[in-house]
């Protein structure tokens, strides 16, 4: 029995998670997958009502009683500090040690690619981003804040353990794909914090002779992802570089509405979420594209061994894009729920 925790969150989160759950139901019926879910009331509404962000009891329940967590989005204009989102998402990331952030990027329709003359076969990559270290730990501070002599410091943390475990995951993934791993860094300008990645890569590479490992400076990588996207298979980078390059990659294939992600402590904890945020500007309009959330659920199904179901959901999303049975951001004129209905029907007949 697959046990799924649902955290729809804020803004368009509940709208897209509702459709993702309908698709999960359709897939489980078609492919006979037993699953249960529990809805968590976490997000801006609860924070404004009670002051709770991620209460300890909820955290322990999420940690101990589920196979996977499915998240919508967190962020609400009524909470300008974004405190609840930081506590919930960064809290889960750190406390569950979700050290892999995986973002597959695949072009399904040449029409959605901003590069000229690119076909789907040219863009099929997976970004593996370190999710717990680098400059995102919050370590740092100010001296003489708000004076002309202010000093600001954010500390970049890289541990050898953090490099090794992420690179090992990336090598294994590359071995299951086309066998090309590109470490992107700024080891020229940040020799200590990024040099450790290169040394870790060089030591690990002989254990994966089937994988071609190379290094690229992140600025060069950004250029080549635009000029030669077909060169890239698995891209690995620290939290900062991975953050930037994964958004660049998402833009190559149709943008946020189509970008799924997983945050993993492989074999222990798994959290799936669309890359996009809460998009407060389109809440309640029916314009929220549910495909990124639905594709995140496809990643979940695949990770838990339901490959046929994952393939069916992914093919249904591709069919929706190719037939322009989509929300307006992808050129269609369907509402959020209509896209969900289209995908469910495709999955039911897969
Ligand atoms: P947050 O602050 O929570 O990250 P945001 O909405 O400011 O959220 P993004 O998610 O990056 O940031 O979205 C930027 C814009 O892209 C949104 O305001 C919205 O107009 C559009 N957008 C994002 N996600 C979707 C989606 N799933 N469907 C349609 N449009 C979207």
């Amino acid at each position: 029995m697959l046990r799924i925790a649902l955290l729809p969150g804020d803004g368009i989160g509940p709208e897209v998670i509702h459709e993702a759950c309908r698709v999960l139901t359709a897939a489980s019926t078609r492919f006979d997958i037993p699953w249960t879910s529990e809805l968590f009331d976490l997000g801006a509404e609860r924070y404004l009502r009670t002051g709770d962000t991620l209460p300890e009891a909820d955290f322990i329940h999420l940690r101990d009683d589920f196979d996977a967590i499915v998240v919508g989005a967190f962020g609400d204009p009524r909470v300008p500090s974004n405190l609840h989102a930081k506590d919930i998402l960064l809290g889960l990331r750190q406390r569950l040690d979700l050290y892999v952030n995986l973002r597959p990027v695949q072009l399904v329709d040449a029409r959605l690619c901003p590069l000229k003359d690119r076909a789907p076969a040219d863009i099929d990559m997976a970004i593996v981003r370190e999710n717990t270290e680098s400059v995102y730990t919050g370590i740092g501070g100010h001296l003489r804040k708000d004076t002309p002599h202010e000093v600001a410091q954010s500390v970049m943390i890289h541990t050898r353990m953090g490099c090794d475990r992420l690179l090992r995951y990336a090598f294994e993934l590359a071995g299951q794909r086309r066998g090309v791993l590109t470490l992107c860094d700024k080891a020229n300008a940040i020799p200590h914090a990024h040099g450790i990645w290169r040394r870790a890569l060089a030591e690990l590479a002989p254990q994966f002779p089937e994988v071609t490992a190379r290094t690229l400076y992140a600025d060069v990588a950004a250029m080549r992802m635009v000029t030669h996207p077909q060169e890239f298979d698995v891209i690995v980078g620290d939290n900062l570089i991975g953050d930037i390059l994964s958004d660049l990659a998402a833009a190559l294939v149709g943008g946020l509405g189509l970008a799924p992600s997983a945050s993993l402590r492989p074999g222990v904890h798994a959290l799936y979420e669309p890359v996009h945020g809460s998009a407060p500007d389109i809440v309640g309009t029916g314009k929220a594209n549910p495909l990124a959330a639905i594709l995140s659920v496809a990643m979940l199904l695949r990770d838990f061994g339901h490959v046929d179901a994952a393939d069916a959901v992914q093919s249904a999303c591709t069919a929706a894009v190719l037939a322009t049975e989509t929300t307006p951001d992808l050129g269609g004129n369907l509402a959020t729920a209509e896209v969900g209905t289209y995908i469910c029907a495709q999955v039911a007949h897969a």
Side-chain angles (χ1 to χ4, degrees):
M1 177 73 74
L2 189 55
R3 300 161 305 164
I4 301 178
L6 298 170
L7 279 62
D10 306 329
I12 62 169
E15 300 170 25
V16 297
I17 291 303
H18 185 256
E19 299 315 312
C21 282
R22 288 178 62 208
V23 173
L24 202 47
T25 304
S28 67
T29 305
R30 168 67 184 80
F31 295 95
D32 199 16
I33 303 167
W35 68 295
T36 56
S37 68
E38 184 174 328
L39 200 59
F40 280 71
D41 174 23
L42 294 171
E45 285 295 343
R46 177 161 173 195
Y47 174 64
L48 292 168
R49 205 172 62 238
T50 66
D52 289 337
T53 55
L54 180 60
E56 194 59 15
D58 283 316
F59 171 72
I60 289 169
H61 190 27
L62 281 167
R63 185 192 64 194
D64 294 347
D65 302 325
F66 296 92
D67 300 301
I69 300 171
V70 174
V71 165
F74 290 102
D76 187 302
R78 293 170 300 169
V79 188
S81 66
N82 227 14
L83 176 78
H84 70 297
K86 284 181 201 142
D87 272 11
I88 298 168
L89 265 186
L90 298 186
L92 287 173
R93 212 173 272 172
Q94 287 294 343
R95 296 176 72 190
L96 297 180
D97 198 19
L98 305 173
Y99 64 86
V100 174
N101 183 249
L102 174 64
R103 297 195 194 179
V105 174
Q106 204 174 355
L107 182 62
V108 294
D109 186 347
R111 178 178 61 88
L112 299 177
C113 181
L115 310 178
K116 75 173 161 18
D117 302 332
R118 287 296 174 192
D122 291 331
I123 307 181
D124 180 5
M125 38 184 117
I127 319 272
V128 176
R129 164 185 170 188
E130 205 292 322
N131 217 15
T132 59
E133 301 188 344
S134 191
V135 271
Y136 289 54
T137 62
I139 298 175
H142 300 266
L143 183 65
R144 302 190 289 265
K145 194 170 180 202
D146 294 327
T147 75
H149 300 281
E150 177 168 347
V151 178
Q153 184 187 41
S154 293
V155 179
M156 191 175 234
I157 298 283
H158 293 281
T159 66
R160 183 58 191 257
M161 176 277 293
C163 299
D164 284 343
R165 66 183 184 175
L166 189 78
L167 288 171
R168 183 169 290 283
Y169 178 87
F171 268 111
E172 283 168 4
L173 183 65
Q176 294 154 18
R177 292 174 49 102
R178 300 196 305 281
V180 181
L181 174 71
T182 309
L183 169 66
C184 299
D185 59 36
K186 286 294 295 175
N188 48 349
I190 316 174
H192 305 108
H194 280 176
I196 189 175
W197 283 92
R198 292 198 170 205
R199 284 183 282 117
L201 183 86
E203 266 186 45
L204 212 49
Q207 293 181 32
F208 298 90
E210 73 283 12
V211 174
T212 304
R214 60 177 190 154
T215 54
L216 274 186
Y217 295 131
D219 43 349
V220 178
M223 281 195 293
R224 290 198 77 80
M225 285 167 72
V226 171
T227 56
H228 298 75
Q230 69 282 7
E231 273 181 9
F232 294 90
D233 178 17
V234 173
I235 296 174
V236 63
D238 84 331
N239 214 335
L240 176 65
I241 301 296
D243 188 4
I244 296 167
L245 292 185
S246 55
D247 273 22
L248 188 157
L252 299 180
V253 299
L256 290 174
L258 270 179
S261 79
S263 292
L264 310 168
R265 183 175 178 200
V268 184
H269 293 297
L271 181 153
Y272 300 86
E273 62 178 324
V275 169
H276 64 73
S278 58
D281 53 322
I282 55 168
V283 173
T285 63
K287 288 186 182 158
N289 182 351
L291 292 180
I294 292 169
L295 288 166
S296 302
V297 161
M299 290 178 80
L300 182 163
L301 288 168
R302 193 174 302 285
D303 285 353
F304 285 88
H306 303 294
V307 176
D308 291 348
D311 284 345
V313 173
Q314 228 176 315
S315 301
C317 292
T318 301
V321 172
L322 291 174
T324 330
E325 298 284 336
T326 62
T327 43
D329 56 306
L330 296 182
N333 52 22
L334 296 191
T336 310
E338 292 172 317
V339 176
T341 302
Y342 179 91
I343 304 291
C344 288
Q346 296 271 322
V347 169
H349 296 108

